[in-house]
Amino acid sequence: MIPEPTATAASRASAQTRNSHDEANSSGPVNHSEDESGNENRQKSVRRRKRPHEGSENVKRKSAKASRSSVSRAGGSRGKQRHVEAVTLFEVVTMGRSAMQAVIDDWIEAYVTDRDSSLLDLISFFIQCSGCKGVVTAEMCQSKEDSEVMSKMVEELDEVSGLQYKKFLAFPWILTVTWPMDTDSVEYPLIQSGPYGRWFHSEFCDFVSVLVAQCQHSVIFDSYLMNSLISLLTELSDSYVRAFRHTCTLAAVKLLSSLVAVALSLSVGIENSQKLHEVQKTKTRQKSTLQQERIQKKITELQEKRAELESMMDIIFKGIFLKRYRDVLPEIRSICMEELGLWMKLYSSAFLTDSYLKYMGWMMHDKMPDVRLKCVLGLQGLYGDPPLLPKLDLFTSRFKERMISMTLDKDNEVAVQTMKLLLLISKTSDDVLSTKDYKQLLQFVYSSQRPLAATAGELLFSRLLNTVAPASDTQDEISEAEAHKQQTSARLKALLQFYQESELHKHVVYLVDSLWDCGGALLKDWHTLTSILLQDSSSHSPGLTQAEQAVLVEILVASVRQAAEGPALAGRSGAKKVMNAREKKIQLDDCTKLTDHLLVVLPKLLSKFSGSCDIVASLMKIPQYFLSECPEADHTQGESQSFSADEEKTGEILAALKKLRAFHNCHDLLKWNVFELLSPLLSVESSEGGAPPEVLLEVLQCLCYCMLWSLNTSTETLTSREKAVAQRLQLRLFCERGNRCLSHSDHSVRQQAFLGVCDVLTAHSYQLQVWDPSSFGPLLYTPSPKLQRALLTFVCMHVFVGPDCDSQSSVRENSEVERLEDLHKRRNLLAAFCKLIVHGVLEMSMAAEVFMYYVKYYNDFGDIIKEMMYRTRQMDRIESARTLVLCLQQLFVRLKQEQESGGRAHPGVQTFTCIKELARRFALTFGDLVKFRECVVMIHRNGIEFVFQEFSQTPETPTPPYLSYLTILSEFSGKLLKPDKKTVFSYLQKHTAEHVIDLREESWQPLIYYRASLLAAAEGEDAVSYVSSDRKLYPPNRSPFSKQKLEGSKSPCAFSPVDSKASKVHRSSFSSSNQERTADVDPFSVPVEPPAKSLNIEGSVLSAGNEADDDTVEVEL
């Protein structure tokens, strides 16, 4: 609240000083932000001024009650004091609408008595609502046209005093708002988060509405209050300060909306007075003439008031709306568009013209979704009012394409509301949307967003399906049921035609889901649907084609699924996830109806369409949605068992098993004890009178389905420990019988047994992971070592086979199709085995046998093996690295054994070059050196121990037998960090210290190569360039690193920095050329006399590399 001038006399001098200071600093930089100002009328030179600290536009509101602003009115001549109310107008906002009306009434009474002081109170209210807690200074202005006064209307800051100034004209007052620039201005009441911000927005808008409503019969037409208020809001809404601009723009548009409400009430009064005047004209008495004059005078007075209100609205629109509807702040643009739609709907005589509608069309191209949404919602209100439609013709023709394109908006809500707008237009105007437009819009029934698809489904239903009527000349003669059937048939044919003409999608289930909300009655009319399908084509009505029958069956299945499960679909979001009690009851009733009807009709449908496999397959999906508690389902349950283990004819058993497999794939048949009936068939070999291979194949698949259903329903079926133990016994029995089938003579039986065991073990591992400990669940089962070895052997013998192998029984290159089919089967087998390792069913070390073939079969299985390597590394990095080491060591040992035995090459043995290449490929998988630091160090330590740990030097065995493995291990040297290289080198020296090593002998070349790889990696060189320099003998317990440490300090550099750079460049060029030269050289061969130049360069590299500290880490650029 602003105190009286006499109450602030003491501060008047300081205020005048501050005013003079404002004028002295009028050329200072303006406190604004170019990206937040949104003022198109500012000069460009002002935009280029210095921008102050961020977040200094206004003050953050920290409590509901704002402190009172101290204001002095310089130049005021009145000296009487006015009573200061205990409650300010700003505090009224926190008290609700009833208290607001009482206080505003008191303010109106005070305004009538002293309008200047009351007006300043109202001005203070709007400034406080902007979050400003500064000082407001007011002085009188004699004329608006005074050029000296207008030159003082500035907005600037003083960085020396840390204050911001805003001086503007709210005639008859010149107001100066001063506030600290270093205060937090991120939040002001309108944008505060949480309930307070929303509540303040509502109460602030109510205050403006109540103020205009209470003043409409008194002071609103005094040419003083509204002029000053509009001038205040115009100036503050044009400020660079976001809080002023946002708050006062909202107040201005709400003020215009309130004036529209007053103008509407005046229009009603004018209309009533004109009717009364017409009535008085029919009377001929003298008294009626006086009455007519009085009524005419009232009409003129009301019309003048309405004209004055329209003038105020025009000033607000041109002075505030036209500047702010393109503001940089999206909240301000949204406010403007929302209120513009309201003005055009409520006061269409003044605002619903093309000159106002164009702003709505332009802002539909706004980059912010909320602004576009406000435009669409506003247009919905206009198109939903039929009397307003003639005024929208030009707008519709101009912006129709934009509205259609907005259905593809990236914001889902904008797209949905735009589709609702177009649906409204299609219902009110038949000729606006063309056939091409409808074709584009109706494709949204296949959208991934369910709200958009449901709205498009409503458009489809209203446009195509709801308008179809049965064409019959004898409408009165047919019964009501027959008329309903004809109408439903006509609608279904229209739906079938739309689906068949749709060239983009073939998803019936999504089409049914889109039509479910508006056309559920049509889709749930299963009696009519099935009667049309069973109808004979020779009937009096034309029948359906085979393609239409197939689509209608899919619609039937989709409607059954929708009624039983709800709108949850894979790939479609936005559906309601939780159903209320009413929806659950409707779902239960629908399931009961479809079960009662389709249990009787489904056999007839299967009999009629038995010749079409696709239609029968679709119809067989229906029973899974039946209610098991239905009496008809219980009656037919016993009749569905169509197989017996005691049948004599193999063909009948095979046919029954195929039917059982088809049913068991989609339905849970555990209560029929399928496992106990079929498992004995696996216990006898076919050579001993057992089942033939084709029967065993079906039995294995059925038993696999049994175990998968049992594991999947563990949470419902395992209610006691006895049932859990019985389930584990079944699992063990299935794995044992499957293990026996792995050695069957038929290849397809072996493959099916392998896949079945792998799938069941993987599912069991998954159920253990998701098991809730608070309830009974599956018990732990670990495959026996015999089964584990059998699975690994099967993979090695039946997956990694090819033309280069001796046994080519599995792969015969008869044709490309057969080769690809066989490759697909082998990939499935390998993937099933890899899942067992990834899920922890098998030990990770068993992956070593698979990793051996990573390079050899990279084109066929490289992606699968690499994915398993990635997954195992996520489980345990160290254990995964050990598996890679085990793989390399096993390959190396096999190669060594074959070389010592002198036998012919075995398919499982790879050459030394292949093993080294495999190690190189393994090393490439360690991309992040810091992340896999421990893994790489472990690989080196394990390799060194593998070579030297069990070696005792004798004259007969001067070198370790596995010394050549160090050459393979050197492939991982480049993945070591610099501190780790020194650690590994010391570890190597520790193992070689006990042995007499002569580096000049060829047998020690792998050690030379490995040591060189560790030393060369420190300088980015290759190992071969270091081999010759490494011939210099060191004591067994000394290394280049240990020698340097014994000296106690770092050696001085032997060359200048310039020479260092030159030598590094020279070394790099040598290294590259040397690598090219030695690319094809055997790593065990060493040049007898290397060039002198290379020796000198290598020596300088070694000396420079030894000068680095232990902490130093070099980075190659």
Side-chain angles (χ1 to χ4, degrees), residues 125 449 573 614 683 827:
F125 164 77
Q449 296 295 324
S573 59
D614 295 337
S683 59
R827 285 176 59 88

Side-chain angles (χ1 to χ4, degrees), residues 10-22:
S11 62
R12 185 173 301 171
S14 61
Q16 293 176 353
T17 304
R18 203 157 35 247
N19 292 336
S20 63
H21 183 71
D22 294 343

Side-chain angles (χ1 to χ4, degrees), residues 895 909-916:
L895 176 62
V909 178
Q910 300 185 23
T911 63
F912 188 87
T913 305
C914 294
I915 301 174
K916 193 169 182 294

Side-chain angles (χ1 to χ4, degrees), residues 500-566:
Q500 291 176 340
E501 292 176 355
S502 179
E503 300 175 355
L504 298 179
H505 301 277
K506 299 295 182 183
H507 302 295
V508 174
V509 64
Y510 294 99
L511 176 62
V512 171
D513 181 51
S514 302
L515 292 170
W516 193 257
D517 295 341
C518 57
L522 172 65
L523 297 173
K524 288 191 290 187
D525 191 358
W526 295 298
H527 183 273
T528 305
L529 280 172
T530 52
S531 63
I532 293 175
L533 287 172
L534 293 172
Q535 179 178 305
D536 192 2
S537 58
S538 61
S539 176
H540 61 278
S541 61
L544 301 176
T545 63
Q546 186 174 1
E548 290 176 341
Q549 289 176 346
V551 175
L552 192 57
V553 168
E554 292 185 20
I555 293 176
L556 173 64
V557 176
S559 64
V560 170
R561 188 216 66 84
Q562 189 85 8
E565 294 185 351

Side-chain angles (χ1 to χ4, degrees), residues 166-215:
K166 168 72 176 176
K167 182 178 289 188
F168 55 93
L169 177 65
F171 190 81
W173 300 104
I174 298 177
L175 301 176
T176 303
V177 184
T178 308
W179 69 96
M181 61 177 291
D182 57 349
T183 54
D184 183 15
S185 65
V186 176
E187 289 190 354
Y188 48 93
L190 275 182
I191 65 168
Q192 283 193 8
S193 59
Y196 176 78
R198 298 188 296 270
W199 168 83
F200 181 84
H201 182 279
S202 176
E203 295 297 326
F204 179 70
C205 297
D206 287 345
F207 179 88
V208 178
S209 301
V210 172
L211 177 64
V212 176
Q214 299 299 104
C215 296

Side-chain angles (χ1 to χ4, degrees), residues 843-970:
E843 295 182 1
M844 197 179 297
S845 59
M846 301 191 71
E849 290 288 341
V850 178
F851 290 155
M852 293 178 183
Y853 303 98
Y854 178 57
V855 175
K856 188 174 181 181
Y857 291 92
Y858 184 80
N859 293 333
D860 294 339
F861 312 112
D863 55 339
I864 300 176
I865 300 176
K866 192 173 183 179
E867 180 67 17
M868 181 178 64
M869 195 182 304
Y870 171 73
R871 296 289 185 89
T872 54
R873 196 167 290 172
Q874 282 184 328
M875 296 163 56
D876 190 342
R877 296 176 189 170
I878 301 297
E879 189 63 27
S880 178
R882 285 199 183 97
T883 306
L884 298 181
V885 171
L886 178 62
C887 170
L888 296 174
Q889 292 177 359
Q890 288 179 354
L891 285 174
F892 182 81
V893 170
R894 292 177 187 176
L895 176 62
K896 199 72 175 176
Q897 292 175 353
E898 183 187 37
Q899 291 175 348
E900 293 175 355
S901 63
R904 65 185 183 89
H906 191 272
V909 178
Q910 300 185 23
T911 63
F912 188 87
T913 305
C914 294
I915 301 174
K916 193 169 182 294
E917 174 63 18
L918 181 62
R920 186 187 71 84
R921 299 287 285 272
F922 285 166
L924 292 177
T925 60
F926 296 99
D928 191 343
L929 301 185
V930 178
K931 181 178 179 182
F932 300 108
R933 179 180 182 181
E934 297 180 3
C935 300
V936 179
V937 172
M938 187 276 302
I939 291 174
H940 282 272
R941 291 172 64 94
N942 193 298
I944 294 172
E945 294 172 358
F946 173 71
V947 174
F948 292 102
Q949 194 167 23
E950 299 180 357
F951 169 66
S952 59
Q953 193 174 30
T954 61
E956 291 77 13
T957 57
T959 60
Y962 297 154
L963 186 63
S964 301
Y965 182 77
L966 293 178
T967 306
I968 299 173
L969 189 60
S970 64

